[in-house]
Coordinates of all heavy atoms in Angstrom, one line a residue:
M1047 N -13.4 11.9 -48.7 CA -13.8 10.8 -49.5 C -15.3 10.4 -49.3 O -15.6 9.3 -49.3 CB -12.9 9.6 -49.1 CG -11.5 9.8 -49.6 SD -10.4 8.3 -49.7 CE -10.9 7.4 -48.2
R1048 N -16.1 11.4 -48.9 CA -17.5 11.1 -48.6 C -18.2 10.9 -49.9 O -18.1 11.8 -50.8 CB -18.1 12.1 -47.7 CG -19.4 11.8 -47.3 CD -20.0 12.9 -46.4 NE -21.3 12.6 -46.0 CZ -22.0 12.9 -44.9 NH1 -21.3 13.7 -44.1 NH2 -23.2 12.7 -44.8
A1049 N -19.0 9.9 -50.0 CA -19.8 9.7 -51.2 C -21.0 10.7 -51.3 O -21.5 11.1 -50.3 CB -20.3 8.2 -51.3
D1050 N -21.3 11.1 -52.5 CA -22.4 12.0 -52.7 C -23.7 11.4 -52.3 O -24.7 12.1 -51.9 CB -22.5 12.5 -54.2 CG -21.2 13.3 -54.5 OD1 -20.7 13.9 -53.7 OD2 -21.0 13.4 -55.7
N1051 N -23.8 10.1 -52.4 CA -25.1 9.4 -52.1 C -25.1 8.8 -50.7 O -26.0 8.1 -50.4 CB -25.4 8.3 -53.1 CG -24.3 7.2 -53.0 OD1 -23.3 7.3 -52.4 ND2 -24.6 6.1 -53.7
A1052 N -24.2 9.2 -49.8 CA -24.2 8.8 -48.5 C -25.4 9.1 -47.7 O -26.0 10.2 -47.8 CB -23.0 9.3 -47.8
Q1053 N -25.9 8.2 -47.0 CA -27.1 8.3 -46.1 C -26.6 8.5 -44.7 O -25.7 7.8 -44.3 CB -28.1 7.2 -46.3 CG -28.6 7.0 -47.7 CD -29.4 8.1 -48.2 OE1 -30.3 8.6 -47.5 NE2 -29.1 8.6 -49.4
P1054 N -27.3 9.3 -43.9 CA -27.0 9.3 -42.5 C -27.2 8.0 -41.9 O -28.1 7.2 -42.3 CB -27.9 10.4 -41.9 CG -28.8 10.8 -43.0 CD -28.4 10.2 -44.3
V1055 N -26.5 7.6 -40.8 CA -26.7 6.3 -40.2 C -28.1 6.3 -39.7 O -28.6 7.1 -39.0 CB -25.6 6.2 -39.1 CG1 -25.9 4.9 -38.3 CG2 -24.2 6.1 -39.6
D1056 N -28.7 5.2 -40.0 CA -30.1 4.9 -39.5 C -30.0 4.5 -38.0 O -29.5 3.5 -37.7 CB -30.7 3.8 -40.3 CG -32.1 3.4 -39.9 OD1 -32.6 4.0 -38.8 OD2 -32.7 2.6 -40.5
R1057 N -30.4 5.4 -37.1 CA -30.2 5.2 -35.7 C -31.1 4.0 -35.2 O -30.8 3.5 -34.1 CB -30.6 6.4 -34.9 CG -29.7 7.6 -35.2 CD -28.3 7.3 -34.8 NE -27.4 8.4 -35.2 CZ -26.1 8.3 -35.3 NH1 -25.5 7.2 -35.0 NH2 -25.4 9.3 -35.6
T1058 N -32.0 3.5 -36.0 CA -32.7 2.3 -35.6 C -31.9 1.0 -35.7 O -32.2 0.0 -35.1 CB -34.1 2.2 -36.3 OG1 -33.8 2.0 -37.8 CG2 -34.9 3.4 -36.1
M1059 N -30.9 1.1 -36.6 CA -30.0 -0.1 -36.7 C -28.7 0.2 -35.8 O -28.1 1.2 -36.1 CB -29.6 -0.3 -38.2 CG -28.7 -1.5 -38.4 SD -28.3 -1.8 -40.1 CE -29.7 -2.6 -40.7
D1060 N -28.4 -0.7 -35.0 CA -27.3 -0.6 -34.1 C -25.9 -0.5 -35.0 O -25.8 -1.2 -35.9 CB -27.3 -1.7 -33.2 CG -26.2 -1.8 -32.2 OD1 -26.3 -1.1 -31.2 OD2 -25.2 -2.5 -32.4
I1061 N -25.0 0.3 -34.5 CA -23.7 0.4 -35.2 C -23.0 -1.0 -35.2 O -22.4 -1.4 -36.2 CB -22.8 1.3 -34.4 CG1 -23.4 2.8 -34.3 CG2 -21.4 1.4 -35.0 CD1 -23.4 3.5 -35.7
E1062 N -23.2 -1.7 -34.1 CA -22.5 -3.1 -34.1 C -23.2 -4.0 -35.3 O -22.4 -4.7 -35.9 CB -22.7 -3.8 -32.8 CG -21.9 -5.1 -32.6 CD -22.0 -5.6 -31.2 OE1 -21.9 -4.9 -30.3 OE2 -22.3 -6.8 -31.1
T1063 N -24.4 -3.9 -35.4 CA -25.1 -4.7 -36.4 C -24.6 -4.3 -37.8 O -24.4 -5.1 -38.7 CB -26.6 -4.6 -36.3 OG1 -27.0 -5.1 -35.0 CG2 -27.4 -5.4 -37.4
M1064 N -24.5 -3.0 -38.0 CA -24.1 -2.4 -39.3 C -22.7 -2.9 -39.6 O -22.3 -3.1 -40.7 CB -24.2 -1.0 -39.3 CG -25.7 -0.5 -39.3 SD -25.8 1.4 -39.3 CE -25.1 1.8 -41.0
M1065 N -21.8 -2.9 -38.6 CA -20.4 -3.3 -38.7 C -20.3 -4.8 -39.1 O -19.5 -5.1 -39.9 CB -19.6 -3.0 -37.5 CG -18.1 -3.1 -37.7 SD -17.4 -2.2 -39.0 CE -17.6 -0.5 -38.3
R1066 N -21.2 -5.6 -38.5 CA -21.2 -7.0 -38.9 C -21.6 -7.2 -40.3 O -20.9 -7.9 -41.0 CB -22.2 -7.8 -38.0 CG -21.7 -7.9 -36.6 CD -22.7 -8.7 -35.8 NE -22.5 -8.6 -34.3 CZ -21.6 -9.2 -33.6 NH1 -20.9 -10.1 -34.3 NH2 -21.4 -9.0 -32.3
A1067 N -22.5 -6.5 -40.8 CA -23.0 -6.5 -42.2 C -21.9 -6.0 -43.1 O -21.6 -6.6 -44.2 CB -24.3 -5.7 -42.4
L1068 N -21.2 -4.9 -42.7 CA -20.1 -4.4 -43.5 C -19.0 -5.4 -43.7 O -18.5 -5.7 -44.8 CB -19.6 -3.1 -42.9 CG -18.6 -2.3 -43.7 CD1 -18.9 -0.8 -43.5 CD2 -17.2 -2.6 -43.3
L1069 N -18.6 -6.0 -42.6 CA -17.5 -7.0 -42.6 C -17.9 -8.2 -43.5 O -17.2 -8.7 -44.2 CB -17.1 -7.5 -41.2 CG -16.4 -6.4 -40.4 CD1 -16.3 -6.8 -38.9 CD2 -15.0 -6.2 -41.0
R1070 N -19.2 -8.6 -43.3 CA -19.7 -9.8 -44.0 C -19.6 -9.4 -45.5 O -19.1 -10.3 -46.3 CB -21.1 -10.1 -43.6 CG -21.8 -11.2 -44.4 CD -23.3 -11.2 -44.2 NE -23.9 -10.0 -44.8 CZ -24.8 -9.3 -44.4 NH1 -25.5 -9.6 -43.3 NH2 -25.2 -8.2 -45.1
D1071 N -20.1 -8.3 -45.9 CA -20.2 -7.9 -47.3 C -18.9 -7.7 -48.0 O -18.6 -8.2 -49.0 CB -21.1 -6.7 -47.5 CG -22.6 -7.0 -47.1 OD1 -22.9 -8.2 -46.9 OD2 -23.3 -6.0 -46.9
V1072 N -18.0 -6.9 -47.3 CA -16.7 -6.5 -47.9 C -15.7 -7.6 -47.9 O -15.0 -7.9 -48.8 CB -16.2 -5.3 -47.2 CG1 -14.8 -5.0 -47.7 CG2 -17.1 -4.1 -47.4
L1073 N -15.7 -8.4 -46.8 CA -14.7 -9.5 -46.7 C -15.3 -10.9 -47.1 O -14.6 -11.9 -47.2 CB -14.2 -9.7 -45.2 CG -13.6 -8.4 -44.6 CD1 -13.1 -8.7 -43.2 CD2 -12.4 -8.0 -45.5
V1074 N -16.5 -10.8 -47.6 CA -17.2 -12.0 -48.1 C -17.1 -13.2 -46.9 O -16.7 -14.3 -47.2 CB -16.7 -12.5 -49.4 CG1 -17.6 -13.6 -50.0 CG2 -16.6 -11.4 -50.4
L1075 N -17.5 -12.8 -45.7 CA -17.6 -13.7 -44.6 C -19.0 -14.3 -44.4 O -20.0 -13.6 -44.9 CB -17.1 -13.1 -43.3 CG -15.8 -12.4 -43.3 CD1 -15.6 -11.6 -42.0 CD2 -14.7 -13.5 -43.5
S1076 N -19.2 -15.4 -43.9 CA -20.5 -16.0 -43.7 C -21.2 -15.2 -42.5 O -20.5 -14.6 -41.6 CB -20.5 -17.4 -43.3 OG -20.0 -17.6 -42.0
Q1077 N -22.5 -15.1 -42.5 CA -23.2 -14.5 -41.4 C -23.0 -15.1 -40.2 O -22.8 -14.4 -39.1 CB -24.8 -14.5 -41.7 CG -25.6 -13.7 -40.8 CD -25.3 -12.2 -40.9 OE1 -25.3 -11.6 -41.9 NE2 -25.0 -11.6 -39.7
D1078 N -22.9 -16.4 -40.1 CA -22.6 -17.2 -38.9 C -21.3 -16.8 -38.3 O -21.1 -16.6 -37.1 CB -22.6 -18.7 -39.1 CG -24.0 -19.2 -39.3 OD1 -25.0 -18.6 -39.0 OD2 -24.2 -20.3 -39.8
R1079 N -20.3 -16.5 -39.2 CA -19.0 -16.2 -38.8 C -19.0 -14.8 -38.1 O -18.4 -14.6 -37.0 CB -18.0 -16.2 -39.9 CG -16.6 -16.1 -39.5 CD -15.7 -16.5 -40.6 NE -14.3 -16.2 -40.3 CZ -13.4 -16.1 -41.3 NH1 -13.7 -16.3 -42.5 NH2 -12.1 -15.9 -40.9
V1080 N -19.6 -13.8 -38.7 CA -19.6 -12.5 -38.2 C -20.5 -12.4 -36.9 O -20.3 -11.6 -36.0 CB -20.0 -11.4 -39.2 CG1 -18.9 -11.3 -40.3 CG2 -21.4 -11.6 -39.8
D1081 N -21.6 -13.2 -36.9 CA -22.4 -13.2 -35.7 C -21.7 -13.7 -34.4 O -22.0 -13.3 -33.4 CB -23.7 -14.1 -36.0 CG -24.7 -13.5 -36.8 OD1 -24.6 -12.3 -37.1 OD2 -25.6 -14.2 -37.3
A1082 N -20.6 -14.5 -34.7 CA -19.9 -15.0 -33.5 C -18.8 -14.0 -33.0 O -18.2 -14.3 -32.0 CB -19.1 -16.3 -34.0
F1083 N -18.6 -12.9 -33.7 CA -17.7 -11.9 -33.3 C -18.1 -11.3 -31.9 O -19.3 -10.9 -31.8 CB -17.5 -10.8 -34.3 CG -16.7 -11.2 -35.6 CD1 -16.6 -10.3 -36.6 CD2 -16.2 -12.4 -35.7 CE1 -16.0 -10.6 -37.8 CE2 -15.5 -12.8 -36.9 CZ -15.4 -11.8 -37.9
D1084 N -17.2 -11.1 -31.0 CA -17.5 -10.3 -29.9 C -16.4 -9.2 -29.8 O -15.6 -9.1 -30.6 CB -17.5 -11.2 -28.6 CG -16.2 -11.8 -28.3 OD1 -15.1 -11.3 -28.7 OD2 -16.2 -12.8 -27.5
A1085 N -16.5 -8.4 -28.8 CA -15.6 -7.2 -28.7 C -14.1 -7.6 -28.8 O -13.3 -6.8 -29.3 CB -15.9 -6.4 -27.4
D1086 N -13.8 -8.7 -28.3 CA -12.4 -9.2 -28.2 C -11.9 -10.0 -29.4 O -10.8 -10.4 -29.5 CB -12.2 -10.0 -26.9 CG -12.3 -9.2 -25.7 OD1 -12.0 -8.0 -25.7 OD2 -12.9 -9.7 -24.7
T1087 N -12.7 -10.2 -30.4 CA -12.4 -11.0 -31.6 C -11.3 -10.2 -32.4 O -11.6 -9.1 -32.8 CB -13.7 -11.2 -32.5 OG1 -14.6 -12.0 -31.7 CG2 -13.2 -12.0 -33.7
P1088 N -10.2 -10.9 -32.5 CA -9.1 -10.1 -33.3 C -9.4 -10.1 -34.8 O -10.0 -11.0 -35.3 CB -7.9 -11.0 -33.0 CG -8.4 -12.4 -32.6 CD -9.8 -12.2 -32.0
L1089 N -9.1 -9.0 -35.4 CA -9.3 -8.8 -36.8 C -8.1 -8.8 -37.6 O -7.6 -9.8 -38.1 CB -10.2 -7.6 -37.1 CG -11.6 -7.5 -36.5 CD1 -12.2 -6.2 -36.7 CD2 -12.5 -8.6 -36.9
F1090 N -7.4 -7.6 -37.7 CA -6.3 -7.5 -38.6 C -5.1 -8.4 -38.1 O -4.8 -8.3 -37.0 CB -5.8 -6.0 -38.7 CG -4.8 -5.8 -39.8 CD1 -5.3 -5.7 -41.1 CD2 -3.5 -5.7 -39.6 CE1 -4.4 -5.5 -42.2 CE2 -2.6 -5.4 -40.6 CZ -3.0 -5.4 -41.9
G1091 N -4.6 -9.3 -38.9 CA -3.6 -10.2 -38.6 C -4.2 -11.6 -38.2 O -3.5 -12.5 -38.2
A1092 N -5.5 -11.6 -37.8 CA -6.1 -12.9 -37.5 C -7.1 -13.3 -38.6 O -7.3 -14.6 -38.7 CB -6.8 -12.7 -36.2
L1093 N -7.7 -12.4 -39.3 CA -8.6 -12.8 -40.4 C -7.7 -12.8 -41.7 O -7.3 -11.7 -42.1 CB -9.7 -11.9 -40.5 CG -10.8 -11.9 -39.5 CD1 -11.8 -10.8 -39.8 CD2 -11.4 -13.2 -39.3
P1094 N -7.6 -13.9 -42.4 CA -6.8 -13.9 -43.6 C -7.5 -13.0 -44.7 O -6.8 -12.5 -45.6 CB -6.8 -15.4 -44.1 CG -7.7 -16.1 -43.2 CD -8.0 -15.3 -42.0
E1095 N -8.8 -12.9 -44.6 CA -9.5 -12.0 -45.6 C -9.2 -10.5 -45.4 O -9.4 -9.7 -46.3 CB -11.0 -12.2 -45.4 CG -11.5 -13.6 -45.7 CD -11.5 -14.5 -44.5 OE1 -11.0 -14.1 -43.4 OE2 -12.0 -15.6 -44.6
L1096 N -8.8 -10.1 -44.2 CA -8.5 -8.7 -43.9 C -7.0 -8.4 -44.1 O -6.3 -8.4 -43.1 CB -9.0 -8.4 -42.4 CG -8.9 -7.0 -42.0 CD1 -9.7 -6.1 -43.0 CD2 -9.4 -6.8 -40.6
D1097 N -6.7 -8.1 -45.3 CA -5.3 -7.6 -45.6 C -5.4 -6.1 -45.7 O -6.4 -5.4 -45.6 CB -4.7 -8.4 -46.8 CG -5.6 -8.2 -48.0 OD1 -6.4 -7.3 -48.1 OD2 -5.3 -9.0 -48.9
S1098 N -4.2 -5.6 -46.2 CA -4.1 -4.1 -46.3 C -5.1 -3.6 -47.4 O -5.6 -2.5 -47.3 CB -2.7 -3.6 -46.6 OG -2.2 -4.2 -47.7
M1099 N -5.3 -4.3 -48.5 CA -6.2 -3.9 -49.5 C -7.6 -3.9 -49.0 O -8.4 -3.1 -49.4 CB -6.0 -4.8 -50.8 CG -4.7 -4.6 -51.5 SD -4.4 -2.9 -52.0 CE -5.8 -2.8 -53.3
A1100 N -8.0 -4.9 -48.2 CA -9.3 -5.0 -47.6 C -9.6 -3.9 -46.7 O -10.7 -3.4 -46.6 CB -9.5 -6.4 -46.9
V1101 N -8.6 -3.4 -46.0 CA -8.7 -2.3 -45.1 C -9.2 -1.1 -45.8 O -10.1 -0.3 -45.4 CB -7.4 -2.0 -44.3 CG1 -7.5 -0.6 -43.6 CG2 -7.2 -3.1 -43.2
A1102 N -8.6 -0.8 -46.9 CA -8.9 0.4 -47.8 C -10.4 0.2 -48.3 O -11.2 1.2 -48.2 CB -8.0 0.4 -49.0
G1103 N -10.8 -1.0 -48.6 CA -12.2 -1.2 -49.0 C -13.1 -1.0 -47.9 O -14.2 -0.5 -48.1
L1104 N -12.8 -1.5 -46.7 CA -13.6 -1.4 -45.5 C -13.8 0.1 -45.2 O -14.9 0.6 -44.8 CB -13.0 -2.1 -44.3 CG -13.3 -3.6 -44.2 CD1 -12.5 -4.2 -43.2 CD2 -14.8 -3.8 -44.0
L1105 N -12.7 0.9 -45.2 CA -12.8 2.3 -44.9 C -13.7 3.0 -45.9 O -14.6 3.9 -45.5 CB -11.4 2.9 -44.9 CG -10.5 2.4 -43.8 CD1 -9.0 3.0 -44.0 CD2 -11.0 2.9 -42.4
T1106 N -13.6 2.7 -47.1 CA -14.4 3.4 -48.1 C -15.9 3.0 -48.0 O -16.8 3.9 -47.9 CB -14.0 3.0 -49.6 OG1 -12.7 3.4 -49.8 CG2 -14.9 3.6 -50.6
E1107 N -16.2 1.7 -47.6 CA -17.5 1.3 -47.4 C -18.0 1.9 -46.1 O -19.3 2.2 -46.0 CB -17.6 -0.3 -47.4 CG -19.0 -0.8 -47.5 CD -19.7 -0.5 -48.8 OE1 -19.0 -0.2 -49.8 OE2 -21.0 -0.6 -48.8
M1108 N -17.2 2.0 -45.1 CA -17.7 2.7 -43.8 C -18.1 4.0 -44.1 O -19.1 4.5 -43.6 CB -16.5 2.6 -42.8 CG -16.3 1.3 -42.2 SD -14.9 1.2 -41.1 CE -15.4 2.3 -39.8
E1109 N -17.4 4.8 -44.9 CA -17.8 6.2 -45.2 C -19.1 6.2 -45.9 O -20.0 7.0 -45.6 CB -16.7 6.8 -46.1 CG -15.4 7.1 -45.4 CD -14.4 7.8 -46.3 OE1 -14.4 7.5 -47.5 OE2 -13.7 8.7 -45.8
D1110 N -19.3 5.3 -46.8 CA -20.6 5.3 -47.5 C -21.7 4.8 -46.7 O -22.8 5.5 -46.6 CB -20.5 4.3 -48.7 CG -19.6 4.7 -49.9 OD1 -19.2 6.0 -49.8 OD2 -19.2 3.9 -50.7
R1111 N -21.6 3.7 -45.9 CA -22.7 3.2 -45.1 C -23.0 4.1 -43.9 O -24.2 4.2 -43.5 CB -22.4 1.8 -44.7 CG -22.5 0.9 -45.9 CD -22.5 -0.6 -45.4 NE -22.2 -1.5 -46.5 CZ -22.4 -2.8 -46.5 NH1 -22.8 -3.3 -45.3 NH2 -22.2 -3.5 -47.5
F1112 N -22.0 4.6 -43.3 CA -22.2 5.4 -42.1 C -22.3 6.9 -42.4 O -22.6 7.7 -41.4 CB -21.0 5.2 -41.1 CG -21.0 3.8 -40.5 CD1 -20.0 2.9 -40.8 CD2 -22.0 3.4 -39.6 CE1 -20.0 1.6 -40.3 CE2 -22.0 2.1 -39.0 CZ -21.0 1.2 -39.4
G1113 N -22.1 7.4 -43.6 CA -22.2 8.7 -43.9 C -21.2 9.6 -43.2 O -21.5 10.7 -42.7
I1114 N -20.0 9.1 -43.1 CA -18.9 9.8 -42.4 C -17.7 10.1 -43.4 O -17.7 9.5 -44.4 CB -18.4 8.9 -41.2 CG1 -17.9 7.6 -41.6 CG2 -19.4 8.8 -40.1 CD1 -17.2 6.7 -40.5
L1115 N -16.8 10.9 -42.9 CA -15.6 11.2 -43.6 C -14.4 10.6 -42.6 O -14.3 11.0 -41.5 CB -15.4 12.6 -43.8 CG -14.1 13.1 -44.5 CD1 -14.0 12.5 -45.9 CD2 -14.0 14.6 -44.6
I1116 N -13.6 9.7 -43.2 CA -12.5 9.2 -42.4 C -11.2 9.8 -43.1 O -10.9 9.6 -44.2 CB -12.5 7.7 -42.5 CG1 -13.7 7.1 -42.0 CG2 -11.2 7.1 -41.8 CD1 -13.9 5.6 -42.2
E1117 N -10.4 10.6 -42.3 CA -9.2 11.2 -42.7 C -8.1 10.1 -42.3 O -8.2 9.3 -41.5 CB -8.9 12.4 -41.9 CG -10.0 13.5 -42.1 CD -10.0 14.1 -43.5 OE1 -9.0 13.9 -44.3 OE2 -11.0 14.8 -43.8
D1118 N -6.9 10.2 -43.0 CA -5.8 9.3 -42.8 C -5.4 9.4 -41.4 O -5.1 8.3 -40.7 CB -4.6 9.7 -43.7 CG -4.9 9.4 -45.2 OD1 -5.8 8.6 -45.4 OD2 -4.1 10.0 -46.0
E1119 N -5.4 10.5 -40.7 CA -4.9 10.7 -39.3 C -5.9 10.1 -38.3 O -5.6 9.9 -37.2 CB -4.6 12.1 -38.9 CG -5.8 13.0 -39.1 CD -5.8 13.7 -40.5 OE1 -5.2 13.3 -41.4 OE2 -6.7 14.6 -40.6
D1120 N -7.2 9.7 -38.8 CA -8.1 9.1 -37.9 C -7.8 7.6 -37.6 O -8.3 7.0 -36.7 CB -9.5 9.1 -38.5 CG -10.1 10.5 -38.6 OD1 -9.6 11.4 -37.9 OD2 -11.0 10.7 -39.5
I1121 N -7.0 7.0 -38.5 CA -6.7 5.6 -38.5 C -5.4 5.4 -37.8 O -4.4 6.0 -38.2 CB -6.7 4.9 -39.9 CG1 -8.1 5.2 -40.6 CG2 -6.4 3.5 -39.8 CD1 -9.3 4.6 -39.9
D1122 N -5.3 4.4 -36.9 CA -4.0 4.0 -36.3 C -4.0 2.4 -36.2 O -5.0 1.8 -36.6 CB -3.8 4.7 -35.0 CG -4.8 4.3 -33.9 OD1 -5.3 3.2 -34.0 OD2 -4.9 5.1 -33.0
G1123 N -3.0 1.9 -35.7 CA -2.9 0.5 -35.6 C -3.8 -0.3 -34.8 O -4.1 -1.4 -35.0
D1124 N -4.5 0.5 -33.9 CA -5.5 -0.1 -33.0 C -6.9 -0.2 -33.6 O -7.7 -0.9 -33.2 CB -5.6 0.7 -31.7 CG -4.3 0.6 -30.9 OD1 -3.5 -0.4 -31.1 OD2 -4.0 1.5 -30.1
T1125 N -7.1 0.5 -34.7 CA -8.5 0.6 -35.2 C -9.0 -0.7 -35.6 O -10.2 -1.1 -35.3 CB -8.6 1.6 -36.4 OG1 -8.0 2.9 -36.0 CG2 -9.9 1.8 -37.0
F1126 N -8.2 -1.5 -36.3 CA -8.7 -2.8 -36.8 C -8.2 -3.9 -36.0 O -8.2 -5.1 -36.4 CB -8.3 -2.9 -38.2 CG -9.0 -2.1 -39.2 CD1 -8.6 -0.9 -39.6 CD2 -10.2 -2.6 -39.8 CE1 -9.3 -0.1 -40.4 CE2 -10.9 -1.8 -40.7 CZ -10.5 -0.6 -41.0
E1127 N -7.7 -3.7 -34.7 CA -7.2 -4.7 -33.9 C -8.2 -5.8 -33.5 O -8.0 -7.0 -33.6 CB -6.5 -4.2 -32.6 CG -5.9 -5.2 -31.8 CD -5.2 -4.6 -30.6 OE1 -5.0 -3.3 -30.5 OE2 -4.8 -5.4 -29.7
T1128 N -9.4 -5.3 -33.0 CA -10.4 -6.2 -32.7 C -11.8 -5.7 -33.2 O -11.9 -4.5 -33.6 CB -10.6 -6.3 -31.0 OG1 -10.9 -5.0 -30.6 CG2 -9.3 -6.7 -30.5
F1129 N -12.8 -6.6 -33.1 CA -14.1 -6.2 -33.5 C -14.6 -5.0 -32.7 O -15.2 -4.0 -33.2 CB -15.1 -7.3 -33.5 CG -16.5 -7.0 -33.9 CD1 -16.8 -6.7 -35.2 CD2 -17.5 -7.0 -33.0 CE1 -18.1 -6.3 -35.6 CE2 -18.8 -6.6 -33.3 CZ -19.1 -6.3 -34.7
G1130 N -14.3 -5.0 -31.4 CA -14.7 -4.0 -30.5 C -14.0 -2.7 -30.8 O -14.7 -1.6 -30.7
S1131 N -12.8 -2.7 -31.1 CA -12.1 -1.4 -31.5 C -12.6 -0.8 -32.8 O -12.8 0.4 -32.9 CB -10.6 -1.7 -31.5 OG -10.2 -2.5 -32.6
L1132 N -13.0 -1.6 -33.7 CA -13.6 -1.2 -35.0 C -15.0 -0.6 -34.7 O -15.3 0.5 -35.2 CB -13.6 -2.3 -36.0 CG -14.0 -1.9 -37.4 CD1 -13.1 -0.8 -38.0 CD2 -14.1 -3.1 -38.3
V1133 N -15.8 -1.2 -33.9 CA -17.1 -0.7 -33.5 C -16.9 0.6 -32.8 O -17.7 1.6 -33.0 CB -17.9 -1.8 -32.7 CG1 -19.2 -1.1 -32.1 CG2 -18.3 -2.9 -33.7
A1134 N -16.0 0.6 -31.8 CA -15.8 1.9 -31.0 C -15.4 3.0 -32.0 O -15.9 4.2 -31.8 CB -14.7 1.7 -30.0
F1135 N -14.5 2.7 -33.0 CA -14.1 3.7 -33.9 C -15.4 4.3 -34.7 O -15.6 5.5 -34.8 CB -13.2 3.2 -34.9 CG -12.8 4.1 -36.1 CD1 -12.0 5.2 -35.9 CD2 -13.4 3.9 -37.3 CE1 -11.7 6.0 -36.9 CE2 -13.1 4.8 -38.3 CZ -12.2 5.8 -38.2
A1136 N -16.2 3.4 -35.2 CA -17.4 3.8 -35.9 C -18.4 4.6 -35.0 O -18.9 5.6 -35.4 CB -18.2 2.6 -36.5
R1137 N -18.5 4.2 -33.8 CA -19.4 4.9 -32.8 C -18.8 6.3 -32.7 O -19.6 7.3 -32.6 CB -19.5 4.2 -31.5 CG -20.5 3.1 -31.6 CD -20.8 2.5 -30.1 NE -21.8 1.5 -30.3 CZ -21.6 0.3 -29.8 NH1 -20.5 -0.1 -29.3 NH2 -22.5 -0.6 -30.0
G1138 N -17.5 6.4 -32.5 CA -16.9 7.8 -32.3 C -17.0 8.7 -33.5 O -17.3 9.8 -33.3
K1139 N -17.0 8.1 -34.7 CA -17.1 8.9 -35.9 C -18.6 9.3 -36.2 O -18.8 10.4 -36.8 CB -16.6 8.2 -37.1 CG -15.1 7.9 -37.1 CD -14.3 9.2 -37.1 CE -14.4 9.9 -38.5 NZ -13.6 11.2 -38.5
T1140 N -19.6 8.5 -35.7 CA -21.0 8.7 -36.0 C -21.7 9.4 -34.9 O -22.8 9.8 -35.0 CB -21.7 7.4 -36.3 OG1 -21.7 6.6 -35.2 CG2 -21.2 6.7 -37.5
G1141 N -21.0 9.5 -33.7 CA -21.7 10.0 -32.5 C -22.7 9.1 -32.0 O -23.5 9.4 -31.1
G1142 N -22.6 7.8 -32.3 CA -23.5 6.8 -31.9 C -22.9 6.1 -30.8 O -23.2 5.2 -30.1

């Protein structure tokens, strides 16, 4: 599901910063709200904006913004548990 126009991750922008922007844009969260996220901030089940449909949108947008391919078997229940687990997943997929 990799987009043809995908750009490699800009290594000058931190993965965590990119993930904050992605969550802000896809879930329509305020910048102040995503800036307050730390590694232990719960996501799925804690953010009303993050439902199963939003997860699909986030995965697609992650592929586009990070220039990665996410297979179904890459995702498990822990991926969207916390902000830290989501950032760790993105780092693992990008090698960052």
Side-chain angles (χ1 to χ4, degrees):
M1047 291 194 325
R1048 185 175 176 158
D1050 293 333
N1051 64 349
Q1053 300 294 314
V1055 174
D1056 180 357
R1057 296 296 175 198
T1058 62
M1059 183 181 275
D1060 181 78
I1061 299 292
E1062 186 175 315
T1063 302
M1064 290 179 69
M1065 189 59 68
R1066 288 179 196 281
L1068 188 143
L1069 288 168
R1070 180 196 65 219
D1071 297 347
V1072 174
L1073 301 180
V1074 192
L1075 301 174
S1076 71
Q1077 186 65 51
D1078 289 341
R1079 192 166 172 199
V1080 297
D1081 285 347
F1083 289 174
D1084 64 24
D1086 296 323
T1087 300
L1089 297 178
F1090 195 75
L1093 294 178
E1095 299 88 352
L1096 185 56
D1097 58 16
S1098 57
M1099 291 301 293
V1101 167
L1104 278 172
L1105 292 172
T1106 300
E1107 194 64 23
M1108 285 173 68
E1109 288 182 324
D1110 291 346
R1111 292 192 191 192
F1112 292 109
I1114 59 176
L1115 178 63
I1116 301 173
E1117 301 289 346
D1118 290 342
E1119 59 269 10
D1120 294 338
I1121 303 299
D1122 62 27
D1124 295 335
T1125 305
F1126 288 90
E1127 184 175 348
T1128 64
F1129 180 69
S1131 64
L1132 189 57
V1133 169
F1135 173 77
R1137 282 192 176 122
K1139 292 298 286 182
T1140 63

